[in-house]
Amino acid sequence: MTAAGHRRDPRAADRTALLVEAPDVGAGCWPAVDAEAGSVLLVRRVAPDAGRRDALWDAHLDPRSAREVFDWMTRQPDQWSLWARLAFLFGDQAVSTIVVEGARRDADEAAVQEETARLEAEERRRLHERIELFILDPKNKRPGLSLESGDEDKPFFVMRFSEKWERERVLDWMRWQRPRFAEFRTLVAAEGAVALERVVIAGMRQTEADVKRRGLSSGGRRPLRFWRGE
């Protein structure tokens, strides 16, 4: 029966076999959806025919919206009996305002949260791809170099030196290895910082030897001082 005391249109019962229903949790009624017809309903059993359903409330939407509202309703089992009571007292529109608008509002909020999470993940990926080379000159500590991912607050690689000129010698080579920084990070993760130190020293010495053969060395303690990665 409707709030006005008239028998509800039997269309829901006629299409009972097509309904997808939420589980009966003992509330006396439960949500159902006829996605083909674009109808979302609140139904109960019709005694004595347990296979038939009586619609206590229904709303007609497009098929996709009907399914979304149904999914939202199934997550609110504590509200089912209240919605049935409201439909009896105030009619379908009162429940539609609560249910349909509530589902849309939550869907909009979920979409915003999903987009925010996507943007945050994208920013983390972007920062992770950015690897910076830092010069370390801490007070009362040995000079050094470090490599740090943009999404981390600690370096993944630190290399210390006894003298600043040693650090500058390595820096002359290291500053031109930016395209390999991601490779260096992978090596540290797989084999540790010592493995990368070996690669750095070997690469620097090989480049120094090559530059000297080509007559481009600046000489002294820093053969690559004027080298530009060529």
Side-chain angles (χ1 to χ4, degrees), residues 99-120:
V99 172
V100 178
E101 294 305 316
R104 287 173 176 167
R105 182 181 61 252
D106 284 4
D108 289 344
E109 291 177 357
V112 170
Q113 292 174 358
E114 182 178 348
E115 178 64 9
T116 299
R118 186 190 68 80
L119 292 174
E120 289 176 347

Side-chain angles (χ1 to χ4, degrees), residues 9-212:
D9 187 327
R11 59 185 178 276
D14 294 342
R15 297 179 63 87
T16 294
L18 301 178
L19 295 179
V20 175
E21 302 181 21
D24 180 3
V25 296
C29 58
W30 53 89
V33 64
D34 182 342
E36 180 182 327
S39 297
V40 60
L41 314 93
L42 196 63
V43 301
R44 65 182 176 186
R45 290 187 179 88
V46 177
D49 186 350
R52 288 173 56 83
R53 299 290 182 262
D54 179 33
L56 304 175
W57 164 85
D58 62 3
H60 299 282
L61 310 165
D62 62 87
R64 178 177 177 180
S65 296
R67 183 71 201 202
E68 290 174 348
V69 171
F70 167 73
D71 290 342
W72 181 84
M73 292 176 70
T74 61
R75 297 193 294 270
Q76 324 286 331
D78 58 327
Q79 300 295 306
W80 297 349
S81 58
L82 173 61
W83 293 336
R85 183 65 175 166
L86 290 175
F88 178 78
L89 293 175
F90 302 109
D92 283 1
Q93 187 56 47
V95 179
S96 296
T97 299
I98 295 171
V99 172
V100 178
E101 294 305 316
R104 287 173 176 167
R105 182 181 61 252
D106 284 4
D108 289 344
E109 291 177 357
V112 170
Q113 292 174 358
E114 182 178 348
E115 178 64 9
T116 299
R118 186 190 68 80
L119 292 174
E120 289 176 347
E122 184 177 299
E123 177 65 6
R124 285 193 298 271
R125 286 193 297 270
R126 186 187 68 80
L127 290 174
H128 188 68
E129 291 173 359
R130 190 178 72 191
I131 301 174
E132 299 293 343
L133 172 64
F134 292 97
I135 298 172
L136 307 177
D137 279 315
K139 187 176 181 180
N140 300 323
K141 289 186 178 180
R142 293 186 300 160
L145 296 173
S146 71
L147 292 173
E148 185 173 319
S149 302
D151 61 334
E152 300 289 344
D153 55 7
K154 293 182 179 180
F156 63 83
F157 174 71
V158 176
M159 191 171 183
R160 295 289 183 183
F161 305 87
S162 298
E163 302 289 343
K164 281 189 177 182
W165 71 264
E166 295 174 330
R167 189 264 311 281
E168 298 305 307
R169 179 187 175 189
V170 172
L171 180 61
D172 290 339
W173 180 82
M174 194 75 160
R175 69 171 77 249
W176 300 103
Q177 307 307 309
R178 185 170 296 275
R180 299 180 63 190
F181 284 176
E183 172 193 335
F184 291 169
R185 179 174 58 198
T186 300
L187 178 62
V188 171
E191 302 182 30
V194 173
L196 180 53
E197 283 194 17
R198 294 188 183 121
V199 168
V200 169
I201 296 301
M204 178 194 69
R205 288 175 175 170
Q206 182 179 348
T207 302
E208 287 177 346
D210 179 62
V211 168
K212 287 178 182 178

